[in-house]
Amino acid sequence: MSDEPTGDVRDELTAATKRYRRTETAHEQARQEAIAAVVAALRAGVPPTEVERLSPFTGAYIRKVARDHGIPPAPPGPKRPVTAS
């Protein structure tokens, strides 16, 4: 019996790699869309804690995204709730 993988195993690996690459692209696109939504929410005045609750990201990552997009830190002190218009 040989320790060499069979063609079927190689075919399965090739197919799995193709699926991975397809979903990797879709995942990155979804991540970029989520980042854009986070930036829009922060610019609209949604508090970072609420953005964190509603997004897939941590507070630290949301702060990094905010700074990368020129959004200043929230001022210290109590925060007022955002009201829907």
Side-chain angles (χ1 to χ4, degrees):
M1 181 178 221
S2 172
D3 287 334
E4 289 290 316
T6 65
D8 290 342
V9 174
R10 288 186 179 111
D11 292 342
E12 289 173 21
L13 177 57
T14 299
T17 299
K18 286 178 183 177
R19 282 191 304 275
Y20 175 84
R21 288 186 176 141
R22 263 196 322 269
T23 60
E24 181 180 38
T25 299
H27 178 79
E28 180 58 23
Q29 181 179 350
R31 189 178 78 80
Q32 291 302 322
E33 290 170 3
I35 289 171
V38 162
V39 170
L42 292 170
R43 286 192 172 136
V46 178
T49 54
E50 187 173 358
V51 173
E52 179 182 6
R53 183 178 61 81
L54 297 171
S55 80
F57 305 125
T58 65
Y61 188 71
I62 290 167
R63 287 188 295 277
K64 179 188 179 319
V65 166
R67 296 316 154 267
D68 289 350
H69 287 84
I71 299 170
K79 311 297 184 243
R80 289 180 286 148
V82 174
T83 57
S85 319

